[in-house]
Amino acid sequence: MVEFVGREDELQTLHQMLQENNQVAVAAVAGMGGLGKTELALQYAMAHREIYKGGICWLLAKAEDVGIQIVRFARTQLDLNPPENLTEDPNQKLLAQVQYCFRLWREGDVLLVLDDVSDYEQVKLYLPSPSSRFKVLMTTRQYFGGIAKLSLDVLQPEAALELLKSLLKETPGRIEKELAVANQLCEWLGYLPLGLELVGRYLARKQDLSLTEMLRRLKEKRLDERSLSKSKSEGNMTAQRGVLAAFELSWQELEDEDKQLGCLLSLFAAAPIPWKLVEQCLPEEDAQDLEEIRDDSLLNLHLLQRKGEGIYQLHPLLREFFQYQCTGLEQVEEFKRSLCRVMVAVAKDIPEYPSLKQINAVTPAIPHIGKVAKDLIQYLSDDDLIWAFFGNARFYNGQGLYEQTLPWYEQCIEVTKKRLGEEHPNFALTLNNLALLYKSQGRYNEAEFLYLQALALRRCQGGEENPDVAESLNNLAILYELQGRYSEAELLCLQALELRQRLVGEEHPDVAESLNSLAGIYDSQKRYSEAESMYLRALELRRRLLGEEHLDFATSLGNLAYLYQSQGKYGEAELLSLRALELRRHLLGEKHPDFALSFNNLAALYELQGRYSEAEPLHLQALALRRKLLGEEHPSVAESLNNLAKLYYLQGRYTESEPLYLQALEIFEQRLDANHPHTVKCRKNLANLRDEY
């Protein structure tokens, strides 16, 4: 016997719903096929049979007229024999007999179960009067307005695993041996009780079949996998159908327009779906008509779930079922093209460096952009091809989640090269973006190789007088500055600045970027007066062109603050640093590498002023953030280690300082080189420390 797990709270709630009303308590145990509605009703009846002294009457709503079933039950189980002549109206004969049976029913409370009700109006006529001792429990796939409703959801992951274990208890240890796969199996089945029971029983019969192989078969054959069909040997199951057959019952109740909408929804990723995206996929359809189909058909039949305001989701197996039905739908190809069009438009709206507000706004769309990149790129035009990948890359990169960004750019390079070839401008653009990512990860040598490749391609494609060439020159200059190659960096940055001024004019964000880059190169060489002039020009341009609520403006504030700090202008530096910190907190949140940079710079400022107690927690926070976001081997982590070590050195805490210097030096030597300015400085710091004791 299979254990009944995961529904203890629902059983208790159901009992309370049926008992708390003196009138008839009609509790609709609603939900899509396979959730175990009938099993829950059965378990409730078995658990509480002692309190229903008048008996439990179980009726199959779809099998036969409910009135006929009630009269038959009364005759066979209660020895009642309702007369034929209770009324002269032949149309009221059956109703009169039902009422007669209710009046003479055995004493005590009665539980009347109506299983699988599809039309409430057809059974309402036969229900007992509100003042009677009868309790009525219905199971249904639909929603009946005005009736107390207990809506079943899928099982919780722990309960789903427990159900699977109970089905395989004859082979102990089988789940534990492949525990991770067992959890994946439950997830693939969407924690649906019917799917879990069918697959569990199938595995119980196939004792040599591993869970890994079972999962592989499900992924390959989907709903056609035989384990999801009910075996003739499973006579003790409450459910009478397999998954496909169970869903088919609801499918048959849908109109053509309902089915089309269901198929469109199944093309989205297996994630919550913003309804506005669905409407955009069907621009010629009336929004109110779509809403009616959604609410009156798909939601009413529990084929779709509302997850929040404007957010809906298909159960994973229902999504499989709708895709299964899509194969015979002539509109499916157009639906795929429409979905791609909408998701590309969303991707193009994601800025290269999105703010936290923009990230939160686009988050619900991200899985669906990824779905297009994974499964539907053949429906994208050549010009739109990169955006299925760029959308997700910008989303993750904008949060400083570089490891999650990487596969999107790598896949984009592979796909772009295969379809468009290496001579296409978008291939060079993708190389450039991957190089930017490598730079952010501290992978400077790999970044340089890609930058040079992108620059060469752009020169071939558009000649020297090309904004893309200017971008590549500027990016390469920034990289060289990070590598301590200042003379090369300055030359390239000046070329980029001159080219941008000539192509786009003085009043352009690209010019501000080049000014900021050149200022950074001068700052690194302690050419402070030149750096200040450039930083101020960049700051003013960004203020005027982008506004003071822009990430680039925050960057300019932080850079100018760091310069003033180097010049000993501590008051001005602190004011700008705090402003940059708050702006980054507002725009990026507190889990971003740039926010860690603000901590680092402010800590360095306090340290120079001898405000060690204020500097230390900031250094520690910067180090922790950088380790978490960038990994242990990133040059920025080495910078934080070096800075914290220096703070401890200044406080005379030499034993705490030395191991930090050693860690920083090892990273600098590995990720930069032995002669990089950062490496040289760290080595000198360590030598000074050792001279002290």
Side-chain angles (χ1 to χ4, degrees):
M1 171 114 180
V2 178
E3 296 177 26
F4 188 66
V5 299
R7 297 297 195 198
E8 294 79 9
D9 290 344
E10 287 88 344
L11 278 174
Q12 185 176 350
T13 301
L14 179 57
H15 183 61
Q16 182 180 350
M17 291 172 68
L18 283 166
Q19 299 304 313
E20 66 186 7
N21 198 325
N22 291 330
Q23 297 181 339
V24 177
V26 183
V29 183
M32 69 178 196
L35 283 171
K37 300 180 295 297
T38 299
E39 181 66 20
L40 182 70
L42 178 61
Q43 292 293 331
Y44 174 79
M46 291 170 58
H48 296 281
R49 58 184 177 273
E50 295 299 325
I51 70 170
Y52 292 108
K53 302 296 185 182
I56 297 172
C57 177
W58 190 286
L59 308 172
L60 300 175
K62 287 186 177 180
E64 189 180 13
D65 187 292
V66 167
I68 294 175
Q69 294 185 63
I70 292 172
V71 172
R72 182 187 304 123
F73 182 91
R75 283 174 173 161
T76 58
Q77 303 297 321
L78 305 175
D79 293 327
L80 294 177
N81 189 21
E84 297 290 331
N85 58 353
L86 290 170
T87 177
E88 295 181 359
D89 185 349
N91 295 324
Q92 297 295 312
K93 176 183 174 182
L94 180 58
L95 177 59
Q97 289 180 319
V98 169
Q99 292 171 345
Y100 173 89
C101 293
F102 286 154
R103 286 195 303 272
L104 299 180
W105 205 281
R106 181 190 304 158
E107 291 185 4
D109 288 346
V110 179
L111 178 64
L112 192 63
V113 181
L114 280 71
D115 190 25
D116 201 11
V117 176
S118 59
D119 188 343
Y120 176 62
E121 294 302 319
Q122 289 185 359
V123 302
K124 181 180 179 181
L125 177 68
Y126 298 115
L127 297 183
S129 63
S131 60
S132 72
R133 52 198 167 90
F134 288 79
K135 307 294 182 184
V136 180
L137 168 61
M138 294 188 294
T139 72
T140 179
R141 294 164 184 259
Q142 301 187 19
Y143 171 65
F144 304 141
I147 299 174
K149 180 181 71 168
L150 173 63
S151 293
L152 287 189
D153 203 343
V154 295
L155 294 173
Q156 291 297 312
E158 299 81 6
L161 187 64
E162 194 61 34
L163 174 58
L164 200 58
K165 283 183 180 178
S166 74
L167 291 158
L168 300 178
K169 61 186 177 184
E170 298 300 322
T171 50
R174 195 170 173 187
I175 292 290
E176 288 72 13
K177 184 179 178 182
E178 297 182 87
L179 185 59
V181 179
N183 282 308
Q184 293 174 35
L185 194 60
C186 293
E187 183 181 7
W188 193 91
L189 293 166
Y191 311 108
L192 185 72
L194 175 59
L196 289 161
E197 186 167 359
L198 287 169
V199 169
R201 288 174 179 271
Y202 186 83
L203 285 166
R205 298 198 307 273
K206 308 277 188 179
Q207 295 192 18
D208 292 331
L209 181 63
S210 70
L211 272 64
T212 300
E213 174 59 17
M214 182 76 264
L215 182 60
R216 187 198 68 78
R217 291 182 185 181
L218 284 168
K219 289 181 175 179
E220 178 185 342
K221 297 183 180 180
R222 324 302 290 186
L223 294 187
D224 284 328
E225 165 52 33
R226 64 184 63 188
S227 62
L228 294 178
S229 300
K230 189 173 186 297
S231 169
K232 293 179 181 178
S233 63
E234 303 294 359
N236 59 338
M237 278 186 68
T238 305
Q240 299 300 307
R241 306 174 182 86
V243 171
L244 256 178
F247 292 165
E248 187 70 35
L249 290 176
S250 296
W251 177 261
Q252 291 171 1
E253 296 187 35
L254 298 177
E255 301 293 337
D256 288 345
E257 290 180 341
D258 310 338
K259 294 176 179 178
Q260 291 170 21
L261 181 57
C263 286
L264 170 61
L265 291 169
S266 74
L267 299 177
F268 284 81
I273 305 169
W275 189 253
K276 64 181 180 181
L277 297 181
V278 179
E279 292 178 335
Q280 291 168 17
C281 288
L282 299 168
E284 297 184 7
E285 297 291 333
D286 182 79
Q288 192 170 347
D289 289 344
L290 286 176
E291 183 183 303
E292 292 297 318
I293 294 172
R294 179 195 71 199
D295 296 344
D296 293 349
S297 296
L298 300 184
L299 280 176
N300 188 42
L301 285 169
H302 296 272
L303 296 172
L304 185 67
Q305 291 178 302
R306 183 179 182 274
K307 307 300 288 186
E309 185 176 353
I311 303 292
Y312 297 83
Q313 186 170 8
L314 289 172
H315 181 275
L317 291 185
L318 271 173
R319 181 172 170 269
E320 291 286 340
F321 175 76
F322 279 128
Q323 286 186 353
Y324 187 89
Q325 298 294 343
C326 272
T327 53
L329 193 69
E330 61 182 35
Q331 294 92 339
V332 69
E333 294 297 301
E334 181 56 36
F335 285 166
K336 290 177 180 178
R337 284 188 288 271
S338 184
L339 176 61
C340 289
R341 170 183 55 78
V342 170
M343 300 324 302
V344 163
V346 173
K348 287 181 177 180
D349 279 343
I350 302 173
E352 188 171 0
Y353 299 104
S355 68
L356 186 61
K357 182 178 179 181
Q358 291 166 325
I359 286 167
N360 289 336
V362 79
T363 295
I366 291 302
H368 310 297
I369 298 175
K371 170 67 176 177
V372 170
K374 182 181 178 183
D375 295 327
L376 299 172
I377 58 171
Q378 66 269 36
Y379 295 95
L380 294 170
S381 68
D382 289 351
D383 289 340
D384 287 342
L385 182 64
I386 60 171
W387 289 103
F389 302 92
F390 276 21
N392 277 31
R394 287 182 171 185
F395 174 78
Y396 291 115
N397 190 65
Q399 299 172 75
L401 301 173
Y402 301 136
E403 287 300 321
Q404 290 168 262
T405 306
L406 183 60
W408 294 105
Y409 279 140
E410 289 178 336
Q411 292 170 41
C412 190
I413 284 180
E414 181 181 343
V415 169
T416 305
K417 181 178 180 180
K418 184 176 180 180
R419 189 200 283 195
L420 306 179
E422 296 185 21
E423 304 304 315
H424 196 281
N426 282 349
F427 183 72
L429 175 60
T430 306
L431 289 176
N432 177 78
N433 288 358
L434 182 56
L436 278 167
L437 177 62
Y438 283 160
K439 184 205 74 174
S440 298
Q441 292 179 302
R443 299 164 63 175
Y444 297 149
N445 292 334
E446 295 167 273
E448 181 182 5
F449 176 77
L450 292 179
Y451 273 146
L452 290 170
Q453 191 178 351
L455 176 59
L457 283 171
R458 284 171 161 177
R459 279 174 164 156
C460 288
Q461 292 160 0
E464 288 290 339
E465 298 293 305
N466 182 345
D468 290 341
V469 169
E471 180 189 35
S472 286
L473 291 171
N474 190 80
N475 290 342
L476 201 52
I478 295 171
L479 179 67
Y480 287 164
E481 190 244 325
L482 290 170
Q483 293 176 300
R485 299 159 63 178
Y486 300 134
S487 58
E488 295 172 85
E490 182 178 354
L491 180 62
L492 291 175
C493 200
L494 286 169
Q495 290 179 38
L497 175 60
E498 181 185 359
L499 186 53
R500 282 173 161 172
Q501 287 171 327
R502 192 164 62 249
L503 293 175
V504 298
E506 295 283 350
E507 298 288 308
H508 195 280
D510 288 354
V511 172
E513 180 186 40
S514 285
L515 290 170
N516 183 75
S517 301
L518 189 57
I521 296 167
Y522 291 155
D523 191 1
S524 297
Q525 299 174 81
K526 296 182 171 55
R527 295 161 62 180
Y528 296 139
S529 60
E530 294 169 273
E532 183 176 3
S533 173
M534 294 291 178
Y535 274 145
L536 287 171
R537 286 174 62 189
L539 178 68
E540 183 54 34
L541 259 181
R542 285 171 165 172
R543 185 202 312 274
R544 199 164 58 248
L545 299 174
L546 305 174
E548 297 188 10
E549 290 285 313
H550 195 280
L551 286 169
D552 287 348
F553 184 72
T555 298
S556 284
L557 288 174
N559 290 343
L560 190 58
Y562 195 73
L563 174 68
Y564 286 158
Q565 172 186 315
S566 302
Q567 294 176 301
K569 300 177 181 179
Y570 299 144
E572 295 169 81
E574 183 173 3
L575 186 64
L576 292 173
S577 289
L578 289 171
R579 191 174 171 194
L581 176 68
E582 287 309 310
L583 189 51
R584 282 170 169 158
R585 189 198 308 272
H586 170 64
L587 294 174
L588 299 173
E590 297 186 3
K591 297 179 180 179
H592 193 281
D594 285 358
F595 190 69
L597 175 63
S598 285
F599 273 150
N600 179 80
N601 293 351
L602 190 59
L605 174 62
Y606 289 158
E607 179 187 304
L608 287 170
Q609 296 174 283
R611 298 160 63 179
Y612 300 147
S613 62
E614 294 172 83
E616 183 176 359
L618 292 173
H619 274 315
L620 289 169
Q621 288 179 71
L623 175 60
L625 257 180
R626 284 172 161 176
R627 277 177 161 159
K628 181 178 180 180
L629 297 171
L630 304 174
E632 292 286 347
E633 303 299 316
H634 196 282
S636 292
V637 172
E639 179 189 28
S640 282
L641 289 167
N642 177 81
N643 292 345
L644 188 59
K646 182 183 175 185
L647 176 67
Y648 291 158
Y649 166 74
L650 292 172
Q651 293 176 290
R653 298 160 63 179
Y654 301 143
T655 56
E656 295 173 83
S657 177
E658 184 175 18
L660 297 177
Y661 272 140
L662 288 170
Q663 291 176 52
L665 184 59
E666 182 180 2
I667 296 170
F668 280 142
E669 288 178 340
Q670 288 181 353
R671 300 304 295 268
L672 302 177
D673 62 57
N675 297 317
H676 190 282
H678 290 347
T679 312
V680 172
K681 185 176 180 179
C682 184
R683 192 181 297 118
K684 183 179 178 180
N685 290 341
L686 181 59
N688 291 337
L689 169 68
R690 287 174 170 171
D691 287 343
E692 293 289 336
Y693 75 109

